[in-house]
Amino acid sequence: MRERKEREKAETAGPFIQPPGNSTPEHRLAQDHGAMTPAQAIALQRTAGNVAVSRMVGRSRGAGPKTPWAAPATRSKRTQGEAGIERGESPPQQQQRVEQDQRTTRATRSGKAGTSVKGKEKGEEPEQIGNPTLRFTSTYVGPTEQSLTAGQEIGFEQVATLHRASGMTTRADEAYDFWQEVTDTNSQIAPDAVNYRPKKSKRPWVVDGPFRPPYNSDDGTIANEADRISFIDSPGFSGRMRMTDGYWLSSYEVKFRWKVRRKQGGRFTKNEPFWASDEMVHRVESKFDPENPDATARITATPAGDRVWNVELPD
């Protein structure tokens, strides 16, 4: 029976070295009570010293700090799987983009990425957009006399044509922003006028209807050819705007001007810099006799005439 107890005691001790008979009470406390709590380890440290505590705690199978008196030892790195980190792209996409941009910038500056400034694969330079020519013609197409009791068309016909620079192959509509602006004033006697007093109206400068990019030629007011763009206009009181029975046109003045600029990025813009033509003016006058309202009166019409401008596009 005694031999069996001795054998069980040896198996329970395992690798522990039995303390000698004169060992300290702290050693006996650690052996008798098994695993130490952190508080017990610290108390033992103060009496037995770090070396003894380290030896005894390191052999203990219970919970507790390995080295309660110092910072934990540096652990080896874990893999992403061990650390519970979800695998992703390395480096992350944002960092990849930044690094790629940096490489592209460096390569571009060195002439090795994209189209080289001096490389053999350099694309052809875009055609230089030269200065166009603007031609304007106009004529009066109304009657020579006006009557209060007759419907009449009193107006003008005009054509403003922008010709692309000589030698260019780029289409005119792809090279230039070309538009027409208008302002006008008129004085009319309406059927409800008191004592045939005329009523005046005035319109400020505006872009004139369809006469602008994208040069829609469906209604025949614009002729868009490869080498030129023509604005075909009929200003005045004609068509649906004709003078009707009971109305009298005492005076009419309409001004036109044209602006041209190099097309910017394929879109139409009226911003500066642009070239602007002189103002072209049409005028009509016809004196009404309130004492004899049924009488006809002469119409004095002065068309703007013809002009040619050598356009000088600003830089």
Side-chain angles (χ1 to χ4, degrees):
M1 180 67 66
R2 182 177 182 181
E3 292 178 355
R4 188 177 62 183
K5 291 182 178 181
E6 292 291 339
R7 185 170 58 255
E8 291 177 352
K9 181 178 181 180
E11 290 175 354
T12 303
F16 285 111
I17 300 174
Q18 297 295 333
N22 61 351
S23 60
T24 64
E26 288 78 8
H27 283 75
R28 289 195 298 273
L29 177 64
Q31 183 177 1
D32 293 341
H33 296 279
M36 290 184 294
T37 65
Q40 290 173 336
I42 293 173
L44 183 60
Q45 172 197 359
R46 293 172 180 171
T47 58
N50 289 345
V51 175
V53 174
S54 177
R55 182 170 61 251
M56 296 185 67
V57 174
R59 292 174 179 174
S60 175
R61 297 179 183 272
K66 295 296 182 180
T67 52
W69 59 90
T74 303
R75 294 177 294 180
S76 60
K77 294 182 179 180
R78 294 180 293 172
T79 63
Q80 288 181 335
E82 293 172 343
I85 300 174
E86 182 179 357
R87 290 185 177 272
E89 293 180 304
S90 180
Q93 288 185 355
Q94 182 176 1
Q95 182 178 345
Q96 288 181 7
R97 289 194 295 268
V98 172
E99 293 178 353
Q100 180 64 33
D101 292 343
Q102 291 174 347
R103 288 195 297 270
T104 301
T105 302
R106 290 194 297 268
T108 303
R109 290 175 179 175
S110 63
K112 295 181 180 179
T115 302
S116 173
V117 176
K118 298 182 181 179
K120 295 181 181 180
E121 297 181 1
K122 179 182 177 182
E124 294 183 1
E125 293 290 339
E127 183 177 39
Q128 184 68 31
I129 302 303
N131 290 322
T133 301
L134 177 59
R135 300 179 183 275
F136 174 75
T137 59
S138 65
T139 184
Y140 174 70
V141 293
T144 57
E145 292 183 338
Q146 182 174 195
S147 173
L148 185 63
T149 58
Q152 297 172 298
E153 295 192 11
I154 303 174
F156 303 85
E157 288 184 355
Q158 66 183 43
V159 180
T161 302
L162 185 73
H163 298 263
R164 69 184 177 188
S166 178
M168 276 182 53
T169 59
T170 302
R171 288 184 57 91
D173 60 357
E174 296 176 356
Y176 308 108
D177 282 331
F178 173 45
W179 67 98
Q180 178 173 294
E181 296 181 348
V182 63
T183 180
D184 60 12
T185 60
N186 72 79
S187 177
Q188 295 186 39
I189 298 174
D192 58 352
V194 177
N195 297 325
Y196 298 103
R197 182 178 301 171
K199 180 180 180 180
K200 297 181 179 180
S201 64
K202 183 177 182 179
R203 180 173 57 167
W205 282 104
V206 295
V207 176
D208 189 15
F211 302 110
R212 47 159 288 176
Y215 314 118
N216 185 354
S217 57
D218 293 342
D219 59 0
T221 58
I222 298 178
N224 187 2
E225 306 294 339
D227 63 338
R228 63 188 182 277
I229 304 164
S230 296
F231 294 158
I232 305 167
D233 195 6
S234 299
F237 297 85
S238 59
R240 290 178 299 176
M241 296 293 295
R242 69 198 307 261
M243 299 300 299
T244 58
D245 186 4
Y247 285 83
W248 184 279
L249 182 61
S250 299
S251 64
Y252 173 53
E253 180 180 274
V254 57
K255 298 179 181 180
F256 293 92
R257 65 188 180 195
W258 297 267
K259 293 181 178 179
V260 185
R261 60 170 295 156
R262 293 183 179 89
K263 187 171 289 294
Q264 302 291 317
R267 63 185 181 87
F268 170 55
T269 172
K270 298 179 292 182
N271 297 333
E272 295 183 356
F274 53 73
W275 173 90
S277 72
D278 301 326
E279 297 176 4
M280 302 302 292
V281 185
H282 303 301
R283 292 186 177 91
V284 169
E285 290 183 354
S286 184
K287 293 182 178 181
F288 178 78
D289 184 1
E291 301 296 331
N292 189 10
D294 294 331
T296 60
R298 179 179 177 81
I299 296 176
T300 302
T302 308
D306 303 338
R307 284 287 301 273
V308 176
W309 293 275
N310 294 318
V311 178
E312 294 184 2
L313 296 175
D315 295 331

